Amino acid sequence: MPIYLSDLLAAPELDLRQCGTAPVPAAPLQWVAVTELEDPFPFLGGGEVVLTTGVRQRSGAVQRSFVDSVHRAGALAIGFGTGLSHAKVPVALVEAADQHGLPVFEVPYVTPFVALGKMVADALSADHVTQLRELLAAHQSLAGALLGGKGLPGLLQELAVLLGNQVALYQYGARLFTSGAGTASGADSGAGHRVPIPTGLRDRCALVITEPFRRPDIVAYAQSLISVELSNQARRRARDRAVTGQLLTDVVAGRLAGKDAALRLQGAGISPARRQLTLLVEVASGHVRSLPALPLPSEFDGAATAVVDGRLAIVVPEGSRPDLARILSDYLYGSGLTAKIGVGGSYAEPAGLRWSYFEAKESLQRGQSINEPERLSLTSLLMSGTDVPLADLAAEALEPLTDFDAAHDSKLLETLERYLALNGSVAAVADELGLHRNTVRYRLGQITELTGYDPAVTADRVHLFLALNVRRLGVGVV
C-alpha cells in the first residue's frame, strides 16, 4: 500500500502537529527530502515531503522564498523541525504555505527526521514488493490463460479483467478479438491507446486498450506473449498450407484419386462426401510472400486453406455464408493486398474438388476483384486432364507464330486472338485493329501457312482456340 501524508500525521510515535489551514493532499508520498538550502528547487523531484530546521531562514522574506521554491518543485508538504534554530514554526512560513495550499507540520525536537524517512522508505519498499507480487501473479495468470487451453482469446480476456479495460486485437486491418462483445467500446471501434505487436510481418498488428491506460508493466508482458503466439500461429499456417497445398496439387493434377484421395482430403479437413467449393486468391507478385501466413477473417474458421502455385486456395463446404467471397475481398483490400478472387462451383468427391479448382482458376482470367464461375466449358474440362499433352499442343501450334512475330513484328498471334474472339469476323478484326480487311486476310493466310491450321476451318479453329487458352492460363503447372 502507498503511504500518504495523513499516515505520517496519524503516527503517534512521530508526534507531528499540523500548522496552518492548507488541506492534506490525497496523493501518495514519493520520498522524504531533508534540506537547509534557501532555494531547494533544483534538488527536488516533486511528490516528496521537505524537512528543514530553518537554520538559514532568519527573516520572513527568506521563509516565504523557501516556501515558493518548495511549491514550484511540486512537493506535497513541509515539515519544520523545532527546538534548534526556531522554537516554533515561523508565522511567515505558515502564511506563505497557506496561500499556496501547501500543508506545514511541526516536527518536535524529540522526533528525528530519520524516523520520518524510515517510515516512508519502509512503506515504499513494502508497496514495491506488493506490486512485484501482483505483477508476478498477473504474468502467471496471462501465461496460464494462453497455455492452459484458452489460447489467444483467453489471454486477451484475462488481460481485460486485469486492467479493468476493454481490449481489442487488430491485424491486417481486421479485428481478431474484442473483449467488448456486443458493446460499442472504444477498443472495439479501434479508438484508445494502441500498443504495437511485433510479428515479423507487415500486418499493422496492434492491441487497442480503452482509456484510461494503466498498468503498462502488465501490458508489456501481454504484448510479448501475443507477439510470440501470433508468430507461432503464422508459422503453423504456413506449414499447414504447404502440406495441404501439396495434397491439392496431387488431387488437381490427377496423381491422387479415388479412395486414397478421399482419405487424404478427410485428414486435411475436407469432407469428400460433402459438396465443397473453392475460392482461389491471386495477389500481385509483390504480395505472394504474404499468402502462406496470412490470417483469415473469423468467417473462414474451419475452412481448409492451402498455397498452390502461388495462389491461396480456400475450400469451404456448401451452405456456408453466400457472401464469403465479398467478405474475403473486403478483407484483402483492407489488408493492403492487391488481389482478385476466383470462385469455383460446388461439387462432391475428389473429382468434384478438382473441377471446382479449375473453374476458380479459369474465372481469375476475367480480372475482376470477384470472379464467379461460369457454365462448364470443354476448354476447362480438357485443361483439368493431365493425361492430355496440352503444353506440347500449344507449343506445336503457336511457336511458329511467336517466332515469326519476334523476327518480323508481324502481330500474327494478336490477329489470331482477335479473330477467334470476334467469331471469325474479318471486318470486326479490321475495325478493332485499325487494319484493311485484305491485311487481315493476308495475315490469316500466313497463320495457315506457318501452323498448318486454317482458322476458317471449324476443327482447326477449335484446335487453335484451345492452344491459345492453354498458353494464356499457363497450363502445364497446376
Side-chain angles (χ1 to χ4, degrees):
M1 292 291 292
I3 186 170
Y4 300 87
L5 178 59
S6 57
D7 297 323
L8 292 181
L9 296 176
E13 67 273 19
L14 298 179
D15 193 25
L16 306 179
R17 294 184 291 274
Q18 187 175 0
C19 308
T21 60
V24 175
L29 300 179
Q30 302 300 317
W31 197 239
V32 171
V34 179
T35 181
E36 298 301 339
L37 297 174
E38 294 181 9
D39 181 14
F41 174 80
F43 306 98
L44 300 178
E48 62 268 274
V49 167
V50 177
L51 302 179
T52 183
T53 62
V55 171
R56 298 184 179 182
Q57 300 177 26
R58 296 299 182 181
S59 67
V62 173
Q63 293 160 6
R64 286 188 289 271
S65 176
F66 176 82
V67 172
D68 290 341
S69 177
V70 171
H71 178 261
R72 282 189 295 111
L76 295 182
I78 296 175
F80 200 95
T82 57
L84 290 175
S85 56
H86 295 270
K88 60 180 182 179
V89 180
V91 174
L93 185 143
V94 175
E95 291 176 348
D98 284 346
Q99 291 175 0
H100 288 296
L102 187 67
V104 176
F105 59 88
E106 179 184 353
V107 183
Y109 180 79
V110 294
T111 302
F113 284 176
V114 71
L116 281 75
K118 185 176 184 304
M119 183 174 180
V120 172
D122 289 347
L124 293 177
S125 177
D127 185 50
H128 183 61
V129 170
T130 300
Q131 291 178 5
L132 289 178
R133 287 174 176 168
E134 291 176 351
L135 181 60
L136 179 59
H139 287 186
Q140 292 173 336
S141 176
L142 292 173
L146 177 63
L147 303 175
K150 298 179 181 178
L152 190 57
L155 182 153
L156 293 167
Q157 191 64 57
E158 184 66 20
L159 177 63
V161 172
L162 291 172
L163 298 179
N165 296 66
Q166 298 292 345
V167 302
L169 182 64
Y170 290 82
Q171 190 177 25
Y172 285 104
R175 189 179 67 240
L176 300 185
F177 171 86
T178 175
S179 63
T183 68
S185 68
D188 194 31
S189 63
H193 185 85
R194 300 183 71 86
V195 179
I197 305 295
T199 62
L201 304 171
R202 297 181 179 179
D203 54 7
R204 297 170 291 150
C205 189
L207 179 68
V208 180
I209 305 170
T210 53
E211 300 290 357
F213 176 70
R214 48 185 175 260
R215 302 304 301 272
D217 46 1
I218 294 179
V219 173
Y221 184 67
Q223 179 188 31
S224 64
L225 290 179
I226 296 168
S227 174
V228 170
E229 177 62 16
L230 289 177
S231 297
N232 288 339
Q233 288 182 5
R235 284 192 290 270
R236 286 195 295 269
R237 277 194 297 271
R239 179 196 63 212
D240 293 346
R241 285 173 183 172
V243 172
T244 307
Q246 185 58 57
L247 172 60
L248 288 184
T249 298
D250 291 342
V251 171
V252 170
R255 292 189 293 268
L256 187 63
K259 292 183 178 179
D260 289 342
L263 289 173
R264 295 277 301 278
L265 290 172
Q266 188 74 47
I270 302 172
S271 175
R274 187 174 179 183
R275 297 173 71 91
Q276 310 276 343
L277 64 87
T278 304
L279 300 176
L280 204 56
V281 178
E282 185 173 88
V283 297
S285 58
H287 297 151
V288 172
R289 295 178 62 183
S290 301
L291 293 181
L294 180 71
L296 296 177
S298 59
E299 289 83 359
F300 292 88
D301 289 350
T305 62
V307 174
V308 182
D309 190 28
R311 303 180 182 94
L312 178 62
I314 307 170
V315 181
V316 296
E318 184 182 50
S320 302
R321 290 183 53 168
D323 56 346
L324 280 180
R326 173 55 57 191
I327 292 172
L328 182 60
S329 179
D330 292 344
Y331 169 72
L332 294 170
Y333 178 81
S335 301
L337 299 178
T338 303
K340 53 185 177 180
I341 300 171
V343 183
S346 178
Y347 309 101
E349 304 298 331
L353 176 62
R354 181 186 188 193
W355 180 240
S356 179
Y357 175 88
F358 274 102
E359 278 191 337
K361 181 179 179 181
E362 185 181 32
S363 72
L364 285 172
Q365 304 307 311
R366 294 197 294 276
Q368 304 298 316
S369 58
I370 299 177
N371 303 277
E372 297 289 344
E374 294 182 340
R375 63 183 180 180
L376 307 184
S377 68
L378 177 61
T379 303
S380 294
L381 180 60
L382 289 172
M383 289 181 185
S384 67
T386 56
D387 52 344
V388 180
L390 296 175
D392 293 338
L393 179 152
E396 180 267 338
L398 302 179
E399 277 186 2
L401 301 183
T402 57
D403 292 345
F404 192 85
D405 282 347
H408 303 284
D409 192 25
S410 54
K411 295 183 171 54
L412 294 183
L413 193 63
E414 179 188 21
T415 303
L416 176 62
E417 288 176 337
R418 301 319 305 150
Y419 180 77
L420 297 180
L422 296 172
N423 299 314
S425 172
V426 172
V429 174
D431 289 343
E432 183 170 307
L433 299 181
L435 302 173
H436 193 279
R437 295 183 184 183
N438 288 339
T439 301
V440 175
R441 294 189 181 97
Y442 176 73
R443 290 185 179 180
L444 292 174
Q446 286 182 298
I447 291 169
T448 302
E449 182 179 346
L450 289 168
T451 65
Y453 296 101
D454 185 351
V457 176
T458 299
D460 290 357
R461 184 184 300 185
V462 170
H463 190 95
L464 292 170
F465 176 78
L466 181 58
L468 284 171
N469 274 274
V470 170
R471 183 177 185 273
R472 176 169 56 90
L473 295 176
V475 174
V477 293
V478 177

